[in-house]
């Protein structure tokens, strides 16, 4: 069956069945899901009892072609908490149907996680911020021109008109603030504008986004968050501000710079994610 056939919930059930067939009998169920963005895949490699399943071995999960996104589902323990990580995500701009873009997070939800923490790389829209700043996402603007809920509603996943009042779970946000404070890591907080990409924004678009109240701009996360909230899964998201957006920072933007900045903040990101996972497991249960 091709990835565009059948109800999304039926395709997710096939992926979950394929995962369960590969896991050791009696393997503990993951409590927290993570989506690791550009250059942030190192978190998965630090897990104890790590089991990696390439997306290519699973039905309906296309592998990303973007450098820095490796395309594996990683099961393991982070400080005693059972987690499952998407090491690499696919983006809408790669040309996949939006149902494929969110298939991974729907699979995490059906594996039974109580919450999903997403990370991404983003351009900063506030001129007082710097490349390398870390931002807790408080809300988003969906400027992608589409939604994973387009078309007939799959009632097995969630309601036709899901509520988005608390898309980024207030308790999970509080927990990350506490982790950052304890680790003395400065944490920005703001609104993430999701655009289709893959071209970076023009300076005029950046001015528009600032006028709309956004603090960061990126090309991911929003479809996944909508799909997860549809399924009533709690969500938290953390952006690495890898550059100041076009017209604010000096010079041209490129993906290499995005990757390098994310890598330079790797230790802080690992600290934040590690602490967040432990606290999120309590929020999720
Ligand atoms: N714009 C959009 N997406 C991004 C950026 C940006 O400046 N930086 C990293 N991802």
């Amino acid at each position: 069956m091709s990835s565009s056939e059948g109800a999304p919930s039926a395709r997710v059930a096939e992926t979950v069945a394929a995962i369960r067939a590969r896991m050791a009998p009696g393997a503990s169920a993951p409590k927290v899901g993570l989506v690791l963005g550009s250059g942030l895949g190192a978190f998965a490699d630090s897990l104890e009892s790590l089991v990696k399943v390439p997306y290519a071995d699973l039905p309906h999960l296309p592998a990303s072609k973007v450098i820095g996104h490796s395309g594996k589902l990683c099961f393991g323990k982070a400080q005693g908490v059972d987690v499952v990580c998407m090491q690499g995500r696919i983006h809408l701009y790669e040309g996949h149907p939006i149902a494929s873009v969110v298939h991974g997070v729907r699979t995490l939800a059906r594996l039974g996680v109580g919450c999903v923490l997403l990370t991404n790389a983003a351009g900063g829209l506030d001129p007082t911020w710097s490349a390398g700043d870390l931002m807790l996402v408080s809300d988003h603007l969906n400027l992608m021109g589409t939604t994973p809920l387009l078309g007939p509603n799959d009632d097995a996943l969630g309601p036709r008109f899901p509520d988005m009042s608390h898309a980024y779970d207030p308790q999970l946000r509080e927990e990350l603030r506490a982790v950052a404070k304890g680790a003395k890591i400065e944490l920005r907080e703001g609104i993430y504008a999701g655009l289709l990409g893959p071209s970076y924004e023009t300076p005029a678009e950046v001015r528009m986004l600032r006028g709309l109240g956004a603090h960061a701009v990126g090309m991911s996360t929003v479809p996944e968050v909508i799909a997860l909230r549809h399924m009533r899964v709690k969500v938290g998201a953390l952006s690495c501000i890898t550059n100041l957006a076009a017209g604010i920072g000096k010079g041209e933007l490129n993906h290499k710079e995005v990757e390098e900045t994310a890598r330079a903040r790797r230790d802080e990101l690992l600290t934040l994610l590690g602490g967040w996972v432990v606290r999120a497991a309590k929020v999720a249960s």
Side-chain angles (χ1 to χ4, degrees):
M1 188 166 76
S2 90
S3 65
S4 57
E5 283 170 39
S9 53
R11 295 200 303 274
V12 169
E14 288 174 12
T15 308
V16 168
I19 292 167
R20 296 226 159 105
R22 280 184 69 134
M23 302 307 281
S28 37
K31 273 201 138 169
V32 176
L34 293 107
V35 180
L36 305 170
S38 287
L40 307 180
F43 181 80
D45 293 316
S46 71
L47 296 177
E48 296 151 43
S49 316
L50 175 62
V51 175
K52 289 193 180 196
V53 183
Y55 298 163
D57 291 0
L58 296 170
H60 312 303
L61 263 178
S64 173
K65 300 267 184 312
V66 181
I67 299 160
H69 286 263
S70 76
K72 293 185 186 77
L73 218 49
C74 302
F75 293 82
K77 279 185 194 290
Q79 295 176 56
V81 176
D82 283 292
V83 301
V84 51
C85 303
M86 293 185 66
Q87 197 181 39
R89 56 153 64 90
I90 61 163
H91 300 81
L92 201 49
Y93 61 72
E94 293 179 69
H96 299 287
I98 194 161
S100 301
V101 171
V102 299
H103 186 79
V105 291
R106 283 176 168 156
T107 300
L108 301 189
R110 276 293 183 264
L111 285 169
V113 301
C115 66
V116 174
L117 310 177
L118 300 105
T119 63
N120 59 49
L125 297 169
D126 184 327
T128 67
W129 291 11
S130 309
D133 283 358
L134 304 174
M135 185 190 92
L136 170 61
V137 180
S138 58
D139 207 345
H140 75 218
L141 296 171
N142 179 9
L143 301 175
M144 291 188 151
T146 188
T147 164
L149 308 184
L150 190 69
N153 186 53
D154 188 339
D155 296 332
L157 295 178
R160 171 74 290 188
F161 300 109
D163 179 59
M164 292 292 281
S165 306
H166 303 288
Y168 297 82
D169 187 74
Q171 188 62 41
L172 285 175
R173 282 158 55 197
E174 189 52 43
E175 301 297 348
L176 185 62
R177 284 185 211 111
V179 174
K181 195 168 174 213
K184 296 192 169 49
I185 296 172
E186 198 187 343
L187 190 61
R188 309 275 192 190
E189 188 160 343
I191 296 168
Y192 175 94
L195 271 66
L196 184 56
S199 50
Y200 291 111
E201 300 68 40
T202 63
E205 288 164 344
V206 167
R207 284 192 294 277
M208 172 191 77
L209 294 170
R210 289 181 60 192
L212 292 176
H215 301 89
V217 54
M219 306 174 195
S220 68
T221 304
V222 165
E224 291 131 303
V225 172
I226 293 171
L228 287 165
R229 292 307 297 145
H230 186 224
M231 296 176 79
R232 292 238 160 240
V233 175
K234 290 178 180 165
V235 168
L238 171 63
S239 295
C240 180
I241 305 295
T242 51
N243 56 279
L244 290 184
I248 301 180
K250 296 183 198 77
E252 296 191 355
L253 305 185
N254 63 71
H255 186 62
K256 194 158 167 275
E257 175 195 352
V258 166
E259 277 204 299
E260 279 170 8
T261 308
R263 206 172 301 124
R265 296 303 306 231
R266 200 161 93 166
D267 289 351
E268 288 86 353
L269 282 160
L270 290 179
T271 302
L272 288 180
L273 275 183
W276 205 10
V277 161
V278 173
R279 287 167 170 265
K282 296 195 186 109
V283 175
S285 57

